Amino acid sequence: MAARLIVLGRQGAGKGTQCSRLADRLGISHVSTGDLMRDEIARRSAIGRQIERYVAMGDLVPDEIVLDLVASNLGNAAHRADGYLLDGFPRTLAQGQALFEVLGAGAADLAVEIDVPLEVVSARLAARRVCAMCGHITAVTRGDEARLCAECNGVLTRRTDDQPEAIARRLAHYDEQAGPLLLWLDGLGLLVTVDGSGPADEVHERIVVAVAERLPAVRAIAF
Ligand code: AMP
């Protein structure tokens, strides 16, 4: 049976990259609530207009809206049987409980927490830039903040939620909200914590090993 995973971690822990790689390797769909929301905002949909200010400030979007987006994206039961990886959801204990209430006990087989210290993620988010032309994501170093995109020479910009005040708020919110959720997932026997420091390739292997150890069905697919 295909794996149903939750991946958690502070903003800047490399969660987006790791989720894409893991979902590809296991052949399951990658559902990122942050991406779904940025997409709604870019399309100027009714939901997009409603959630714009929360996302711009780095505040959590109200649960009803997030739950609707996730439920419509996970589709029907047959689609869910193909497995999925939830990236950025659940973010709070209430969202975690709602997920299991709506989808039942099989909502997730395992939750992987990618653990990276607060100082490290703060510095990473402050350095993150997105190309205004091609969307390429990169990091600038001190003294090199004004450089152009290496891919297309476009101007590098900061996401509004990567402005310094927003970064501090988002990280404080994450720790506050994720704490009770992590404890709850651990109590259900679903939590595994992986060290997220070091090169992305090493973190990826650590995650795959941790998931394969806990989910025998994943072993055959991953190796
Ligand atoms: P992310 O890309 O995961 O950092 O998400 C970007 C923004 O989308 C967050 O700062 C929130 O405003 C919103 N968001 C994403 N996922 C959730 C969620 N599960 N609950 C509430 N808001 C969310």
Side-chain angles (χ1 to χ4, degrees):
M1 199 184 62
R4 283 173 288 223
L5 303 176
I6 294 171
V7 179
L8 302 121
R10 293 191 170 103
Q11 298 85 347
K15 194 162 49 72
T17 312
Q18 294 299 338
C19 285
S20 301
R21 288 183 65 167
L22 186 60
D24 275 359
R25 183 141 164 198
L26 302 183
I28 56 181
S29 52
H30 174 194
V31 179
S32 154
T33 44
D35 285 350
L36 290 176
M37 291 187 194
R38 281 184 286 275
D39 187 52
E40 295 285 339
I41 293 169
R43 289 193 292 111
R44 310 281 313 143
S45 68
I47 290 184
R49 287 197 300 272
Q50 231 177 314
I51 63 179
E52 201 163 24
R53 62 200 160 97
Y54 297 98
V55 176
M57 295 295 290
D59 287 337
L60 289 188
V61 168
D63 283 352
E64 320 79 70
I65 303 179
V66 190
L67 284 166
D68 269 2
L69 269 180
V70 173
S72 62
N73 214 268
L74 288 182
N76 57 31
H79 174 69
R80 289 200 292 274
D82 295 337
Y84 49 76
L85 186 162
L86 298 178
D87 168 5
F89 178 90
R91 275 277 222 281
T92 64
L93 178 57
Q95 289 182 2
Q97 289 170 333
L99 174 70
F100 281 79
E101 260 158 41
V102 175
L103 299 186
D109 307 310
L110 193 66
V112 179
E113 180 198 13
I114 305 177
D115 185 33
V116 178
L118 194 58
E119 320 78 73
V120 178
V121 291
S122 303
R124 279 190 197 164
L125 292 174
R128 179 162 69 181
R129 297 292 183 277
V130 183
C131 175
M133 299 251 290
C134 72
H136 178 66
I137 298 172
T138 185
V140 292
T141 47
R142 202 178 280 265
D144 194 22
E145 287 92 350
R147 76 173 170 82
L148 297 174
C149 175
E151 303 290 315
C152 75
N153 255 354
V155 175
L156 295 178
T157 58
R158 272 189 179 203
R159 272 169 44 170
T160 30
D161 58 354
D162 278 347
Q163 300 297 332
E165 330 71 67
I167 291 176
R169 281 162 58 95
R170 288 162 75 205
L171 288 171
H173 280 179
Y174 177 83
D175 282 2
E176 223 168 80
Q177 310 264 356
L181 172 65
L182 292 170
L183 277 177
W184 182 72
L185 288 167
D186 197 26
L188 293 176
L190 290 179
L191 185 67
V192 58
T193 299
V194 174
D195 174 10
S197 49
D201 286 349
E202 285 175 23
V203 178
H204 174 68
E205 286 310 318
R206 262 179 237 144
I207 294 173
V208 172
V209 168
V211 173
E213 265 172 14
R214 297 284 295 265
L215 302 181
V218 165
R219 235 169 274 155
I221 305 167
F223 297 108

